[in-house]
Amino acid sequence: MSDDDFMQASDEEYDFEYEDEEEEDNGDVDIENKYYNAKQIKTSEPEEAIEEFLGIAPLEQEKGEWGFKGLKQAIKLEFKLRRYQKAIEHYEELLTYVKSAVTRNYSEKSIDNMLNFIEKGSDDPDAVGCIEQFYSLTLKCFQSTNNERLWLKTNIKLARLLLDRKDYHAVARKLRDLHRACQKEDGTEDPSKGTYSLEIYALEIQMYSETKNNNQLKLLYQKALKVRSAVPHPKIQGIIRECGGKMHMSQESWKEAQSDFFESFRNYDEAGDLRRIQVLKYLLLATVLMKSDINPFDSQETKPYKNDPRIASMTDLVDAYQRDDIYKYEDVLQKNTDLLTDPFIAENIDEVTRNMRTKAVLKLIAPYTRMRLGWIAQRLRITEPEVRDIVSYLIVDGRVQGHIDEHNATLELASRGDADRTKAIQGLSDSVGDLFAAILKDAEGFRSVVAEQGSTSFGDQLGDGSHFDLARPMKTGGRSGEWLPVT
């Protein structure tokens, strides 16, 4: 072979290798362009974008990162368009990529983000079955890969979904499995899984709070507060503290409830969770019930929400309560019926209203001794049976001295003036008795005279020759009304 032939052969070989690499690079570029073009139209033309995303995987000779990314985007769009069955099918295909096509950390993060995304759609009843299928497929996939971390995260999400559906028996079974997974072989808590344990406690506390099982709730609440090996998300702490506050409210421990609601609000606020607004309402409610004069908006955390329109009605209610303005209080309740849509507020606002009306009754009847129950009801804009109930409670509690005349439907109060005069006279009588005893019976000076002189007359001591024997009686004589000593 001549030098020219050799050079020609070398060029051809070189050209062939160069063209092969160029084709491979061009292929990757085409796939990448297809992916980013689809992302650009996913908002305006979601259906066309789905087709583009699903078309990426077939372009790859082997399962790779671009196919994984394309399936992720397609599933999210299908879920948003309520194509739940298609989303399940493509999610099952996506899970085949996690074993070899992408790294373990990347796949775990992507799947967790995917589950977080679909979890936001749990309010849609049609989506619940799809979400449960997603969880089941994930657990089946990652159980075989021994990815315990993702297995725990997915099971916690599944337990949360079951709790939202109020399937308490299924939740209890799932939580038992999760507790076992967070324990060592000897049955003690595994410190390395403290964060997961706290999330599990939070779910269990929510369950017992909803089912009103206060005994178990109190035990779990104390357990959760003692977990020190965890670095939980502030939202988890917010949930635990909120349930603790509700528990204390049911026990009428207003001060502890207020403290827990404040901590819950602070954690929700730190997490950026909208639940903070509702918990702030609970905090205001607890402040009223504990009859505190401290303004809850004086703290640095709550101050920015003082004029928030979402809590304006609750703020007005608290303001009316603290000023003892029954008319303003009733007016706020009537105009803001949405306040009572929250079951917890509706359950506890009755206690606030009762306190408010009780104070109003005491203030109204103070100047009178006899009044009609109907007149009290008319002045307070409530029914006569409600007035009768409040007055009866005040009489039994000893805060009102009087009785209800059932025949005439009147309240008759005992005259406080007579009672005060009687008490004053009794006090004066007791004082006079004490004075008599001190002077005529117990005085030291008087007893010493009797002891030293015996029956010696008082007149002998005076040197006038007359006898004034303290031990003998006296007789009258001389001028009228004059007492003379016996001689």
Side-chain angles (χ1 to χ4, degrees), residues 75 78-79 83-91 130 134:
I75 292 164
E78 286 172 335
F79 192 85
R83 298 179 182 177
Y84 300 128
Q85 193 55 45
K86 286 289 183 184
I88 291 169
E89 291 174 11
H90 293 133
Y91 183 69
C130 172
F134 268 65

Side-chain angles (χ1 to χ4, degrees), residues 194-239:
T195 301
Y196 297 116
S197 291
L198 205 56
E199 286 192 60
I200 297 163
Y201 279 134
L203 287 170
E204 203 164 4
I205 286 169
Q206 279 181 282
M207 181 181 72
Y208 287 129
S209 179
E210 290 178 17
T211 55
K212 308 293 183 185
N213 189 339
N214 283 334
N215 291 331
Q216 287 295 327
L217 177 59
K218 192 170 185 178
L219 289 172
L220 278 172
Y221 173 74
Q222 298 296 339
K223 258 187 181 181
L225 292 183
K226 291 176 182 176
V227 175
R228 294 287 180 265
S229 59
V231 186
H233 193 280
K235 183 179 178 180
I236 301 301
Q237 289 283 30
I239 291 171

Side-chain angles (χ1 to χ4, degrees), residues 9-279:
S10 298
D11 288 341
E12 287 174 359
E13 187 177 354
Y14 178 79
D15 290 341
F16 175 77
E17 289 178 355
Y18 179 79
E19 286 174 2
D20 183 56
E21 289 178 4
E22 189 177 43
E23 281 181 16
E24 188 176 344
D25 289 342
N26 286 338
D28 287 342
V29 170
D30 290 341
I31 292 173
E32 188 175 350
N33 287 338
K34 190 176 183 68
Y35 175 79
Y36 286 111
N37 287 336
K39 280 195 80 171
Q40 286 180 345
I41 62 171
K42 72 176 187 178
T43 304
S44 57
E45 301 173 50
E47 294 184 1
E48 188 176 337
I50 290 172
E51 291 181 11
E52 289 292 310
F53 284 129
L54 293 176
I56 292 173
L59 295 178
E60 292 184 315
Q61 294 180 356
E62 294 180 358
K63 289 181 178 179
E65 186 179 345
W66 290 111
F68 183 78
K69 287 182 175 181
L71 281 170
K72 271 199 314 179
Q73 295 293 337
I75 292 164
K76 288 180 180 179
L77 286 173
E78 286 172 335
F79 192 85
K80 285 179 73 174
L81 295 174
R82 301 165 65 92
R83 298 179 182 177
Y84 300 128
Q85 193 55 45
K86 286 289 183 184
I88 291 169
E89 291 174 11
H90 293 133
Y91 183 69
E92 196 168 4
E93 183 182 348
L94 179 76
L95 292 175
T96 62
Y97 280 71
V98 300
K99 292 180 181 179
S100 58
V102 290
T103 64
R104 174 172 171 152
N105 286 339
Y106 178 61
S107 65
E108 181 182 328
K109 185 177 179 181
S110 298
I111 296 299
D112 191 44
N113 288 339
M114 175 72 74
L115 296 179
N116 287 337
F117 174 81
I118 66 166
E119 191 178 12
K120 295 174 184 176
S122 58
D123 295 335
D124 183 358
D126 296 331
V128 172
C130 172
I131 295 170
E132 197 166 354
Q133 278 275 66
F134 268 65
Y135 291 153
S136 298
L137 289 170
T138 306
L139 290 171
K140 186 178 177 182
C141 173
F142 284 94
Q143 199 166 18
S144 61
T145 60
N146 293 321
N147 191 327
E148 188 180 28
R149 186 166 55 183
L150 190 57
W151 182 88
L152 279 168
K153 284 182 179 180
T154 306
N155 266 306
I156 288 171
K157 292 179 191 297
L158 179 56
R160 192 176 295 122
L161 177 67
L162 295 170
L163 184 62
D164 289 340
R165 290 166 55 182
K166 303 192 183 302
D167 189 351
Y168 299 121
H169 291 295
V171 174
R173 288 195 300 271
K174 183 62 66 180
L175 290 175
R176 280 196 295 270
D177 292 340
L178 284 166
H179 275 305
R180 281 195 293 269
C182 292
Q183 291 174 346
K184 297 181 190 176
E185 293 180 0
D186 60 0
T188 59
E189 295 283 343
D190 187 348
S192 66
K193 297 174 183 173
T195 301
Y196 297 116
S197 291
L198 205 56
E199 286 192 60
I200 297 163
Y201 279 134
L203 287 170
E204 203 164 4
I205 286 169
Q206 279 181 282
M207 181 181 72
Y208 287 129
S209 179
E210 290 178 17
T211 55
K212 308 293 183 185
N213 189 339
N214 283 334
N215 291 331
Q216 287 295 327
L217 177 59
K218 192 170 185 178
L219 289 172
L220 278 172
Y221 173 74
Q222 298 296 339
K223 258 187 181 181
L225 292 183
K226 291 176 182 176
V227 175
R228 294 287 180 265
S229 59
V231 186
H233 193 280
K235 183 179 178 180
I236 301 301
Q237 289 283 30
I239 291 171
I240 293 171
R241 289 290 191 169
E242 179 187 349
C243 292
K246 288 180 177 179
M247 176 191 70
H248 289 309
M249 287 283 275
S250 68
Q251 298 170 345
E252 298 188 3
S253 301
W254 313 125
K255 188 174 181 181
E256 289 81 0
Q258 195 235 23
S259 174
D260 269 345
F261 283 138
F262 178 77
E263 287 300 318
S264 176
F265 167 79
R266 192 174 59 79
N267 280 287
Y268 278 135
D269 193 37
E270 185 181 340
D273 195 291
L274 292 176
R275 186 72 188 160
R276 64 180 178 265
I277 298 299
Q278 204 62 21
V279 171

Side-chain angles (χ1 to χ4, degrees), residues 408-427:
N408 295 313
T410 58
L411 170 64
E412 297 184 7
L413 301 178
S415 175
R416 294 175 185 171
D418 291 344
D420 291 342
R421 282 193 294 273
T422 302
K423 188 175 180 180
I425 291 171
Q426 181 64 44

Side-chain angles (χ1 to χ4, degrees), residues 253-439:
S253 301
W254 313 125
K255 188 174 181 181
E256 289 81 0
Q258 195 235 23
S259 174
D260 269 345
F261 283 138
F262 178 77
E263 287 300 318
S264 176
F265 167 79
R266 192 174 59 79
N267 280 287
Y268 278 135
D269 193 37
E270 185 181 340
D273 195 291
L274 292 176
R275 186 72 188 160
R276 64 180 178 265
I277 298 299
Q278 204 62 21
V279 171
L280 184 55
K281 292 180 182 179
Y282 299 163
L283 173 61
L284 294 173
L285 186 63
T287 303
V288 167
L289 286 170
M290 69 181 288
K291 299 175 183 177
S292 172
D293 295 328
I294 299 172
N295 188 339
F297 291 106
D298 286 343
S299 71
Q300 184 179 346
E301 291 85 355
T302 56
K303 192 175 290 184
Y305 296 91
K306 184 174 183 178
N307 298 315
D308 193 309
R310 292 171 292 181
I311 62 164
S313 55
M314 199 69 189
T315 307
D316 292 342
L317 207 66
V318 172
D319 182 61
Y321 183 90
Q322 291 179 336
R323 290 189 292 105
D324 290 340
D325 189 343
I326 183 67
Y327 303 119
K328 177 69 174 176
Y329 179 88
E330 296 285 356
D331 189 52
V332 171
L333 272 184
Q334 289 175 6
K335 288 182 178 178
N336 298 276
T337 53
D338 59 304
L339 269 176
L340 304 181
T341 56
D342 185 303
F344 180 73
I345 291 179
E347 181 183 343
N348 288 278
I349 200 71
D350 287 344
E351 183 70 24
V352 180
T353 302
R354 186 179 181 84
N355 289 346
M356 189 72 187
R357 289 174 177 174
T358 300
K359 291 196 294 181
V361 167
L362 285 171
K363 190 175 180 181
L364 183 63
I365 68 176
Y368 307 102
T369 58
R370 189 170 182 271
M371 66 224 76
R372 288 181 296 105
L373 297 179
W375 175 78
I376 299 174
Q378 185 180 7
R379 292 294 301 271
L380 298 184
R381 301 175 188 171
I382 57 177
T383 64
E384 192 171 313
E386 286 175 320
V387 171
R388 190 186 305 273
D389 185 43
I390 293 170
V391 170
S392 299
Y393 164 74
L394 288 170
I395 292 172
V396 171
D397 196 44
R399 295 162 70 183
V400 167
Q401 303 298 323
H403 67 277
I404 296 175
D405 183 342
E406 296 287 351
H407 179 70
N408 295 313
T410 58
L411 170 64
E412 297 184 7
L413 301 178
S415 175
R416 294 175 185 171
D418 291 344
D420 291 342
R421 282 193 294 273
T422 302
K423 188 175 180 180
I425 291 171
Q426 181 64 44
L428 179 62
S429 175
D430 292 342
S431 298
V432 170
D434 292 342
L435 182 63
F436 172 81
I439 293 176

